[in-house]
Every structure is written in structure tokens, then in C-alpha cells.
Amino acid sequence: DTAVSQTPKYLVTQMGNDKSIKCEQNLGHDTMYWYKQDSKKFLKIMFSYNNKELIINETVPNRFSPKSPDKAHLNLHINSLELGDSAVYFCASSQAVDEQFFGPGTRLTVL
Amino acid sequence: AQSVTQLGSHVSVSEGALVLLRCNYSSSVPPYLFWYVQYPNQGLQLLLKYTTGATLVKGINGFEAEFKKSETSFHLTKPSAHMSDAAEYFCAVSYGSPNDMRFGAGTRLTVKP
């Protein structure tokens, strides 16, 4: 059983488009995250969210917005995509502040 | 602000040799410490973690790490490298609240036959 899943695995799109990446966790965790990994493998946290609080990394453009329909899902919406948004995006979850479990990643390519 | 530094973006060892990947953090408060491994085209997987208690922590795949408060270090070791250990390794620190997990820049481990 997959603990943290993401769809799609690959996403190729044109500049200016709006896209979404879905994330689901079946671990019963109360906190979910989105990370961006650039071409040099550097990982940057974008958001963390539990059912009470959304914490946004201040460097994340407001074109990015997380949406959580329920505790097991945290989707990432990106508006007006730019070339610099090309990266691998990882969803993760944890129980409180313990270890994080990562999804397989979504490779986004903006043309 | 707290940070984590991994010395060496690329480490190359021969199969059977000792693996040593270095990690230092900057903080006066002992953090929670983690090592993650990322295989090509996959997500991160936890190798081991230190929260409290014994400072020598054993993880999966024969890896271990030792928390040294005096040196603010959490180096990762494995006595004998295997070809399957080739991957990207990330050290991470957390101070107990969501959104404060900080990852190092990563170290790519190459294992030569």
C-alpha cells in the first residue's frame, strides 16, 4: 500500500497555464507538506498544513496555493506558470513533528 | 537562523570501503536530526533519526550516525559500501514545530566497483 501518493508523476505544460498536483496520504498523519526540489537537488519547504493551520514559506509566490479537502489530501495549485517553476515537487506527511514520509514526486516542466 | 551544512556535495568510494557523509548544524538548542536517502527518480526515504536518548543511532541498510553535541555534528557512516548505496543523501534538522524542517544541500554518493 502506498503511504503518500502524488499525481501526476510527470507534468509538461506551457507558460501561463494553471495546473494542479494532487497528494494523498493513508497514514492518518495530521500534518502535510509541499516541497520544491530544484535541478541541483536542493529541497525547499513551501507549505505545511494541518487541519488547524497553514504555514506558508514567505518566499513562495502567491501563484502557489495549497488546498486541503480533507485531512488525507493536500493538493497544490499553481497559477500562471513560469519557466522557473520547473522542478520536482514532493508531497510529504508526518505525525506532529516526527519523521516525514515523502511521495514519489511530480516532475513539472514548463515550456 | 538554524541551518544544516553537508560537507561535500559529492563523495565517491569503492565498493567495500567505509562511507562517511558529514553533517553539521548550527544551533545552541539540540535539534531533532534526520538522514534521508533519495534514489534516482524517487522520493526521500528515512534512513535514521535522533530525537533523544542514545547518541549513536542505527538505521536501515547498515547505516548509523552519531550525534555529537560538542561538535554540533551528525555524521552518517557505513562500514562497507555496496553498489546499491549509490544515491543522494540529505541531512535534516527540526526544532519541533511544523514547517521548520531544514534540509542540507545533499551529498551524492557514488560507489565504484
Side-chain angles (χ1 to χ4, degrees), chain A residues 9 31 33 35 37 40-43 45 47-48 55-57 90 97-100 102-104 107, chain B residues 32 34 36 38 41-44 46 49 51 88 90 94 96-99 101-105 108:
Chain A
K9 189 171 177 62
T31 305
Y33 311 81
Y35 286 86
Q37 186 176 46
K40 296 184 178 180
K41 301 292 187 181
F42 185 72
L43 269 167
I45 189 165
F47 307 99
S48 70
I55 301 176
I56 302 172
N57 185 312
F90 288 99
V97 294
D98 206 347
E99 66 182 271
Q100 295 183 14
F102 284 77
R107 183 175 295 275
Chain B
Y32 301 145
F34 306 83
Y36 286 86
Q38 184 180 25
N41 299 313
Q42 294 187 27
L44 278 71
L46 183 74
K49 65 180 179 181
T51 53
E88 193 86 21
F90 293 91
S94 173
S97 62
N99 220 52
M101 179 82 84
R102 294 288 182 264
F103 284 84
R108 176 166 295 180

Side-chain angles (χ1 to χ4, degrees), chain B:
Chain B
Q2 61 267 20
S3 67
V4 55
T5 302
Q6 291 184 239
L7 294 176
S9 60
H10 191 189
V11 171
S12 181
V13 300
S14 298
E15 191 173 19
L18 172 71
V19 175
L20 171 60
L21 305 181
R22 299 177 188 274
C23 174
N24 288 86
Y25 64 92
S26 61
S27 172
S28 59
V29 176
Y32 301 145
L33 295 157
F34 306 83
W35 274 100
Y36 286 86
V37 61
Q38 184 180 25
Y39 299 105
N41 299 313
Q42 294 187 27
L44 278 71
Q45 177 184 358
L46 183 74
L47 274 177
L48 47 81
K49 65 180 179 181
Y50 170 80
T51 53
T52 59
T55 57
L56 182 62
V57 181
K58 295 186 184 299
I60 63 171
N61 301 339
F63 284 93
E64 61 182 37
E66 186 172 11
F67 168 58
K68 292 187 177 180
K69 184 179 178 181
S70 61
E71 299 178 5
T72 60
S73 68
F74 191 57
H75 301 331
L76 181 71
T77 61
K78 181 174 180 177
S80 177
H82 192 273
M83 296 296 290
S84 62
D85 294 327
E88 193 86 21
Y89 290 80
F90 293 91
C91 181
V93 300
S94 173
Y95 293 88
S97 62
N99 220 52
D100 76 349
M101 179 82 84
R102 294 288 182 264
F103 284 84
T107 298
R108 176 166 295 180
L109 176 66
T110 302
V111 182
K112 299 175 291 185

Side-chain angles (χ1 to χ4, degrees), chain A residues 20 26 33 38 40 48 57 59-60 74 77 79 92 94:
Chain A
S20 295
N26 62 7
Y33 311 81
D38 63 23
K40 296 184 178 180
S48 70
N57 185 312
T59 66
V60 174
L74 184 66
H77 297 270
N79 295 325
S94 70

Side-chain angles (χ1 to χ4, degrees), chain A residues 75-102:
Chain A
N75 303 325
L76 181 65
H77 297 270
I78 315 170
N79 295 325
S80 303
L81 278 155
E82 300 178 357
L83 292 176
D85 297 333
S86 295
V88 181
Y89 292 85
F90 288 99
C91 178
S93 72
S94 70
Q95 185 61 28
V97 294
D98 206 347
E99 66 182 271
Q100 295 183 14
F101 290 77
F102 284 77

